[in-house]
């Protein structure tokens, strides 16, 4: 067994404390190294966020595992991801909604959209569509969604994202600026927001997000 395989095994078993077994199994099928810039590939199974260019990061594996576990993704679901970045998180969700499910991943930075498409193709993931747009407004074309996963922190929960959730749908989203918390939003006859944990994400930049700072 190579050192990368050993790291991967260790990482996956460390996730047993925070993640559902189906999520860990999905993560075992997605090669995280294919979603990283070449010089960082040897660190693919360190449990840490890593830079993917343009000031953005790929989330730490435990964060992907926790968010996927909270979302409770099931085969056949229609999923929206806001903040596609490298495409890694989308690939894990895509595995969890197979067969029959689809992930639409929205990313605002063109260079990352291209890279994510390439990464997903190399990893052989077929049920993710990456779209360049402002995900703070959701993606009305393919709504409503069973699940929405937001990978960038918002000033508050964007109204459009709530409206694009199905009844019984779930959304995970970090909210806050200096201090951020991960929320689970559930839609029933109304919307219910539950705080889960403190987190650190890059900002959601857009109409219902933060303004770009330059
Ligand atoms: N899920 C990603 C993590 C990406 S980090 C992964 O697995 O790699 C968050 C991403 O959100 C960044 O790439 C950033 O460019 C993007 N982002 C920020 N605001 C956005 C917006 N309004 N719409 C779409 N993407 C946005």
């Amino acid at each position: 067994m190579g050192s990368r395989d050993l790291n991967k095994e260790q990482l996956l078993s460390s996730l047993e404390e925070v993640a559902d077994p189906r999520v860990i199994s999905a993560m075992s099928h997605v090669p995280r190294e294919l979603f990283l810039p070449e010089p960082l590939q040897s660190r693919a199974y360190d449990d840490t966020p890593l830079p993917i260019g343009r000031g953005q990061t790929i989330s730490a594996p435990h964060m992907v595992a926790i968010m996927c576990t909270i979302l409770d993704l099931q085969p056949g679901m229609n999923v929206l991801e806001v903040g596609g970045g490298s495409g890694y998180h989308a690939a894990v969700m895509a595995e969890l909604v197979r067969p029959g499910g689809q992930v639409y991943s929205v990313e605002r930075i063109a260079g990352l959209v291209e890279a994510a498409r390439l990464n997903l193709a190399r990893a052989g993931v077929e049920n993710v569509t990456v779209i360049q747009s402002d995900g703070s407004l959701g993606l009305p074309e393919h709504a409503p969604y069973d699940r929405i996963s937001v990978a960038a922190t918002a000033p508050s929960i964007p109204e459009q994202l709530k409206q694009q959730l199905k009844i019984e749908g779930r959304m995970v989203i970090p909210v806050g600026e200096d201090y951020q918390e991960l929320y689970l939003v559930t839609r029933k006859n109304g919307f219910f927001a539950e705080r889960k944990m403190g987190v650190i994400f890059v900002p959601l930049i857009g109409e219902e997000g933060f303004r770009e700072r330059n």
Side-chain angles (χ1 to χ4, degrees), residues 52 56-59 81-89 106-109 112 133-136 151-152 202-206:
I52 52 171
Q56 308 304 321
T57 51
I58 181 172
S59 303
E81 180 185 40
V82 176
S86 67
Y88 173 72
H89 194 159
V106 175
E107 168 57 52
R108 62 182 277 271
I109 301 176
L112 294 180
S133 71
D134 175 6
S136 73
V202 298
L204 181 76
I205 308 237

Side-chain angles (χ1 to χ4, degrees), residues 26 31 68 72-73 77 89 96 104 139 158-159 178 184 193 207:
C68 287
D72 185 28
L73 295 147
M77 284 184 166
H89 194 159
L96 284 161
Y104 296 95
L139 186 67
E159 189 57 33
D178 297 329
L184 167 63
E207 221 161 296

Side-chain angles (χ1 to χ4, degrees), residues 2 26 28 38 53-54 71 94 125 157-158 161:
S28 78
E38 187 135 8
R54 325 280 164 131
L71 265 191
V125 179
I157 301 167
L161 292 182

Side-chain angles (χ1 to χ4, degrees), residues 166-169 186-192:
K166 287 187 191 170
I167 306 288
E168 298 299 328
T186 312
R187 181 172 200 175
K188 294 190 188 283
N189 47 353
F191 295 94
F192 300 88

